Amino acid sequence: MVTSPETEPPYVELCAQSHLSFLQATAAVEDLIERAVELGYAGLAITEDCSLISAPRAHVAAREKGLKLILGSRFRLVDGQELVLLVQDVSGYAALARLITLARGRADKGEYRLEWGDLSPCPGLLAIFLPDWERAEEPPETLRELSGYWGTERLRLGLVLRYQGDHSQRLARLRHWTARTGIRGLACGAVTMARRRERFLLDVLTAIRRGRPLSELGFALAANGEAHLRSRAQLAAIYPQDLLAETLAVAASCDFSLDRLQYRYPPGSCPPGQNPEEYLKVLARAGLARRYLDGVPEKVARQLEEELRIVHELDYGQYFLTVHEIVHFAKSRGILCQGRGSAANSVLCYALGITEVDPARSNLLFSRFLSRERGEPPDIDVDFEHERREEVIQFVFARYGRRHAALTASIRHYRPRSALRDAARALGFSAAEQDALGRDLAWWDGRRIRPERLQEAGFDPESPAVQRLLVVANALVGLPRHLSQHVGGMVLSAEALDALVPIEPARMAGRTVIQWDKNDLDLLGILKVDLLALGMLSVLRRALDDLGLGLEGIPPEDPAVYAMLQRGESLGVFQVESRAQMSMLPRLKPRCFYDLVIEVAIIRPGPIQGGMVHPYLRRREGVEAVHYPGPEVRKVLERTLGVPIFQEQVMQIAMEAAGFDADAADGLRRAMAAWRRHGNLGPYQDRLRAGLQARGYDEAFARQLCQQIQGFAEYGFPESHAASFALLVYASAWIKCHHPAVFCAALLNSQPMGFYAPAQIVAEARERGVQVLPLSIRHSVWESRARGGSLRLGFHQLRGLPQAVADRIVAWREQGGSLDPVALVRELGCPRAEVERLARAGAWEDEGQDRRQSLWQVAAVREATALPLAPAAEPEVPLAATPAAARCRIDYAQLGLSLGPHPLHFLRQRLQAEGYRPIAELLRAPAGGGKGVAGLVTHRQRPATAHGTVFLTLEDESGRINVIVWPSRVEPWRRAILQGRLLGVRGKLERDGRVCHLIAQSLTDYSQWLGELATRSRDFC
């Protein structure tokens, strides 16, 4: 019978998974909903595998498309049987979320375990049992038990038909089961694809999930491509009408939407019997009194009262009390912390000790942080020492309870490299081939893998196998791979959080994560507190402890600190240690704290793409006159010489010169944030131009301002954020300037972090006069330690050495125990492998014992035997001293650095023969062409603002130099740029004051000369 869309029976698909059921389905939830609408479905149930991860996105998409959405989840129980649970009401949603939390909580990350006994009681849920109709002849006892306490009204039997030649048999068994149990049946697609053409991708995902190539999966793969959303005509041709109609009856019984969920923030740290809003006022006013010992400035006091009024109106008082409590806890434990971002626009945050930016010294724009009209919760970011942040996170868990606090999730997607590796594994490529495939990929290649990249790796792009690989890998790019945890966002709830969203264990012990991505939280207005890790705070805490100081004890505005920064000597200094910042410092010549605020913000995509950097520098140097197109603009931009450098300035211009109110200015900020997606500023662009014109500003200025705003849309710093960071810039620079040994030790002890490897940190400290002493079995402790102008390397620098072993040696040493290698093994009981590790690293060289001699002694230690035999006497064997080149190679492998000659010292004659001069010699040469140097690659960068230019930093025994590779030369030298460890570069030396760089005209890879030397570079970060 031929049917038309009008005569086709209505249908609701009650079991569909999106690609957020990781590696089990192919389509985004938005695609499933769009396809269901195209097919004329009366509704759709999204039922991820033991998950509600896609619920917020499904809710938004279904509302936009006008489709009835049913939320649920699909489960495989411990005995292998499957069922789908659908939410009927609010109680059912809470029951399902808690059930998922229970199942996930008793299994490892990414797994779950659900038992039949867990299903009672579960009010507000309807279950669809999905039997294996090929094997199950009679209803299992578990189903009978379930119907006993759920009732047959909340149970259905799902029939999945997919043209496998067994339709009549399956239907007959369904009728038999219905007769035996009284449970009605319904049609079910068990959908994992939006369209049939996605079948190949589904097979690949199956292979990846099972960890085996496609060729070995056999019947584990889907028999055909029918697990997609099918037309109602197709369904009518294979299902009886009553089974299709039953899907509508079930859908009608499911009356739930996420709009019906209620979220409440938990009570903050308000003492019993006190009003939270009044208590917040007391804390804030007392905080300002402590901040301003000579009296609170009137402007600041007025601003605080206005902020408190807005916080009260929006009912966010408890939120601020919570953040204050967390910061207070950290400070009570001696953990350095500091708020940043838009929160630094708030006097309230300053008064509560959350931020450290003095509002009396800043141009605050509170609406950048919180406004009445914005409808968004405040977002406070607090940085903590990266090594101690976990103490803070665990405090929050303990304070609020595991059912009321969890970390925010982050969905990880396939990128080209991971997609290529997993696709190759699924298609049967060998492990060696998998390693080779992604070696030549770079982030700037974009999201599509091109055939020439594989050809460069030695693969034939015309080969059918390689062509299949490209198709599969490109299809994987962008698909969700797994659920991870956000870098620090924590969600708190007054009600049990697992009634709002399921919670599951994180991979890290002691942490739990909600199933919703951080970007989905705004749907319910859920607040999060960002507890972030910052390595520089760990460095500062260590250094300040050594010096017996607090941050407040660092003298302000020290001319010696600014003189050091003006010379570009900022290796290791927070935020200004990159190649670009080191080049900018001698040009900007910071002389005061506000100059550091500008320095932090100016080397960002916003100012660079908006064409603001060079005009600012020219005006600062007096080469270009400072010009203001009007008095309102002068008021906003006078501190930055008429050039907008901060996000707040753009918003303030809109307010002062174009008539925007605070909330409209914030709308402009959000339009800037959406620039990448929409490519325009929406109605704000026209409103901005009209407002400027009405106040006498010409069209040229309006056009230039819009161009600058587009630059900020890419990435621009708010002034408050830059000011928060500038505080740490100055503190770290002061310690480096006056206590270089302490600063170096703190950097080494806080690794891994920062822009430079230990080898560069130590080399630069030695250049500054620090005496760096080697690892010593007699003098070293776990961490590197500074004393006066010297620094002793610690045991932590030895790769692979457990701290427990080092601590045992130190304790043994303090008790007067023998430090002989044999004694450490026999008497102290140190593992032999660890003593060998110490010997290879030269830990006994301070004792006058060469590495080979130490290793020989350890090798003489025999394993204990059951026989009481005396140790055999070992003959004295004269061993030649370890050659300097070998010591260097071992040091780099064991310690990541060497205190002996630089690796290139041993290659200098060969490099000289090739015409390469030492870097220090080149830096003294006049500008011009024909220059050549060779060095180890320490950094590779390709900023998005550089239009394809690659920047390399090379190092030899005499110094460092930056190399510029223009875009036209990147592809010809691609492999050397991406993989080369020792590069020879010839080109033109350019000089701008103290800043020198080499423009590459030829580039040669000499990495093979390094042999097994272990070098490290920081690539494209």
Side-chain angles (χ1 to χ4, degrees), residues 277-278 280-286 288 296-313 346-349 351 364 366 372:
E277 305 299 336
E278 291 301 319
L280 183 63
K281 287 182 183 179
V282 170
L283 287 177
R285 290 168 181 167
L288 279 192
V296 180
E298 184 180 349
K299 172 187 172 184
V300 174
R302 283 199 313 270
Q303 179 66 27
L304 175 63
E305 296 307 314
E306 173 64 13
E307 292 182 18
L308 286 169
R309 185 161 51 252
I310 295 174
V311 169
H312 175 68
E313 288 179 13
S346 164
V347 171
L348 179 56
C349 287
L364 296 182
F366 184 66
R372 296 180 182 89

Side-chain angles (χ1 to χ4, degrees), residues 97 183 187 219 360 372 635 696 702 734 736 767 815 838 907 950:
I183 302 172
F219 290 110
R372 296 180 182 89
K635 177 182 176 183
W734 184 86
K736 178 185 176 72
E767 291 169 10
Q815 295 165 11
L838 286 161
L907 296 175
V950 170

Side-chain angles (χ1 to χ4, degrees), residues 229-299:
L229 291 173
R230 292 175 282 185
S231 71
R232 290 180 290 149
Q234 288 177 289
L235 296 169
I238 58 176
Y239 284 105
Q241 176 59 36
D242 63 313
L243 300 186
L244 296 173
E246 189 61 31
T247 66
L248 275 73
V250 167
S253 73
C254 296
D255 182 24
F256 172 77
S257 165
L258 287 184
D259 289 332
R260 298 176 61 184
L261 290 183
Q262 296 294 320
Y263 167 77
R264 284 195 312 116
Y265 193 79
S269 56
C270 182
Q274 291 201 36
N275 178 282
E277 305 299 336
E278 291 301 319
Y279 183 58
L280 183 63
K281 287 182 183 179
V282 170
L283 287 177
R285 290 168 181 167
L288 279 192
R290 285 192 300 272
R291 295 282 197 181
Y292 300 101
L293 298 178
D294 296 329
V296 180
E298 184 180 349
K299 172 187 172 184

Side-chain angles (χ1 to χ4, degrees), residues 952-1010:
L952 304 172
T953 302
L954 303 186
E955 166 196 283
D956 69 6
E957 70 273 35
S958 67
R960 293 174 296 276
I961 190 168
N962 293 316
V963 175
I964 297 176
V965 183
W966 296 128
S968 61
R969 298 183 181 265
V970 170
E971 282 303 310
W973 301 335
R974 179 188 179 91
R975 175 162 288 197
I977 289 171
L978 290 176
Q979 299 179 25
R981 297 185 297 140
L982 172 59
L983 298 181
V985 182
R986 303 182 198 277
K988 179 182 178 183
L989 182 68
E990 291 194 349
R991 188 183 298 278
D992 183 0
R994 297 179 60 89
V995 179
C996 296
H997 48 254
L998 187 63
I999 307 295
Q1001 295 171 339
S1002 71
L1003 188 150
T1004 307
D1005 188 355
Y1006 295 101
S1007 300
Q1008 71 276 10
W1009 288 9
L1010 297 177

Side-chain angles (χ1 to χ4, degrees), residues 5 33 40 145 229 361 379 381 417 420 469 548 578 833 870 974 977:
I33 288 170
E145 293 174 1
L229 291 173
R361 298 170 58 187
D379 188 13
D381 299 338
R417 195 183 301 272
L420 198 56
L469 175 65
S578 70
R974 179 188 179 91
I977 289 171

Side-chain angles (χ1 to χ4, degrees), residues 454-726:
L454 303 190
Q455 188 172 25
E456 291 163 359
F459 294 84
D460 179 8
E462 301 300 320
S463 159
V466 172
Q467 290 180 350
R468 279 194 299 272
L469 175 65
L470 277 169
V471 171
V472 170
N474 282 319
L476 285 177
V477 173
L479 282 181
R481 179 63 179 84
H482 62 274
L483 190 70
S484 183
Q485 56 184 304
H486 182 250
V487 291
M490 288 203 78
V491 175
L492 307 174
S493 174
E495 287 78 26
L497 190 55
D498 61 6
L500 291 173
V501 52
I503 302 172
E504 62 179 60
R507 198 167 298 281
M508 184 174 177
R511 291 186 175 188
T512 48
V513 181
I514 64 171
Q515 286 190 334
W516 287 353
D517 184 89
K518 63 182 179 66
N519 295 320
D520 297 327
L521 295 178
D522 289 343
L523 175 70
L524 296 177
I526 292 178
L527 297 174
K528 70 177 173 67
V529 182
D530 282 324
L531 311 179
L532 306 175
L534 189 63
M536 182 49 64
L537 288 175
S538 298
V539 173
L540 291 175
R541 195 259 307 161
R542 282 190 166 95
L544 292 170
D545 284 353
D546 276 356
L547 297 171
L549 289 175
L551 278 172
E552 67 283 353
I554 295 177
E557 303 299 80
D558 185 336
V561 172
Y562 292 108
M564 179 189 76
L565 293 176
Q566 289 170 15
R567 295 191 298 269
E569 297 172 7
S570 60
L571 188 148
V573 176
F574 183 63
Q575 284 289 302
V576 294
E577 61 177 344
S578 70
R579 170 203 55 80
Q581 289 283 9
M582 281 184 165
S583 297
M584 177 59 66
L585 284 166
R587 300 173 65 192
L588 193 142
K589 297 182 177 63
R591 295 184 291 271
C592 62
F593 177 76
Y594 194 70
D595 287 348
L596 296 183
V597 178
I598 292 173
E599 178 74 37
V600 167
I602 201 167
I603 302 297
R604 308 287 168 182
I608 292 172
Q609 293 188 0
M612 306 166 206
V613 177
H614 294 296
Y616 177 81
L617 290 174
R618 287 195 298 268
R619 294 179 183 194
R620 186 177 175 89
E621 294 166 1
V623 176
E624 176 182 307
V626 178
H627 170 69
Y628 304 102
E632 298 91 352
V633 173
R634 182 188 188 108
K635 177 182 176 183
V636 176
L637 299 183
E638 191 164 19
R639 290 206 296 172
T640 53
L641 307 180
V643 179
I645 290 175
F646 307 108
Q647 271 190 0
E648 292 99 330
Q649 290 179 308
V650 173
M651 297 166 65
Q652 286 172 322
I653 290 174
M655 294 169 69
E656 298 287 344
F660 282 37
D661 60 22
D663 292 316
D666 188 70
L668 173 62
R669 178 193 65 81
R670 283 182 279 124
M672 287 160 54
W675 169 267
R676 285 187 180 183
R677 296 193 301 273
H678 306 305
N680 61 66
L681 299 174
Y684 294 100
Q685 184 162 318
D686 294 336
R687 182 173 173 180
L688 187 66
R689 286 184 168 178
L692 291 170
Q693 187 175 10
R695 286 159 180 78
Y697 290 90
D698 60 30
E699 177 63 23
F701 173 71
R703 191 165 50 250
Q704 179 189 20
L705 182 62
C706 287
Q707 178 185 347
Q708 291 170 335
I709 288 173
Q710 293 167 18
F712 275 111
E714 291 297 323
Y715 188 72
F717 253 32
E719 183 175 358
S720 55
H721 193 148
S724 294
F725 274 4

